[in-house]
Amino acid sequence: MKIKLFPFLTNDLLEASVKGDVITINRETIDLSGIPAGYRLPGSAVGNRFFLDTDYIERVDGVLNFTLLLPVHWDSPEESRNPAEPIIIDIQSGAVPFPDTTPPIAPIVELPTFIEEPENGGFEPA
């Protein structure tokens, strides 16, 4: 399978695995073996929210090609939210290695501690 990823702003999680012509997305099994060479099926026909509705699932040279929505956050790394080149994963079997779209952790900035001195500058009255 060749899976093209389309960044999509959402809080949904995406996990997938592939075995032959079957893809399992978040524990939902989708059998794509019925798509013959030279034919295509609209992504919307699968009924899974991660398939891009406006793209097609097609078999080219024996390999299934389709586009999945890649969950990203507003503060995910730029290369995930707006990749320079389309992200394409070529996989035959196993867990789909999606890119890490986890937003970076903001650095912890420690503020300086100020010690208040008495108004007289530390002098004691005589």
Side-chain angles (χ1 to χ4, degrees):
M1 287 185 189
K2 284 193 179 182
I3 304 170
K4 186 189 306 184
L5 301 176
F6 184 83
F8 182 69
L9 186 62
T10 181
N11 287 328
D12 293 337
L13 297 176
L14 175 61
E15 291 180 351
S17 62
V18 170
K19 186 174 183 183
D21 287 346
V22 176
I23 185 167
T24 302
I25 299 175
N26 294 349
R27 295 187 297 251
E28 179 185 348
T29 301
I30 302 161
D31 186 353
L32 302 172
S33 62
I35 301 173
Y39 288 83
R40 61 187 190 177
L41 182 70
S44 59
V46 174
N48 183 285
R49 69 176 184 230
F50 287 102
F51 276 81
L52 186 62
D53 288 349
T54 58
D55 201 7
Y56 292 96
I57 304 163
E58 57 188 335
R59 191 178 301 270
V60 178
D61 296 327
V63 178
L64 285 165
N65 292 264
F66 54 89
T67 303
L68 291 180
L69 298 175
L70 176 66
V72 295
H73 301 274
W74 68 268
D75 56 348
S76 290
E78 177 69 18
E79 59 271 10
S80 298
R81 289 182 290 115
N82 191 20
E85 295 290 323
I87 301 170
I88 299 174
I89 299 172
D90 191 354
I91 184 168
Q92 279 79 39
S93 182
V96 179
F98 293 112
D100 184 10
T101 60
T102 307
I105 297 173
I108 298 174
V109 178
E110 296 214 17
L111 300 174
T113 305
F114 292 101
I115 301 173
E116 286 191 37
E117 292 188 20
E119 288 184 28
N120 63 4
F123 291 104
E124 294 184 18

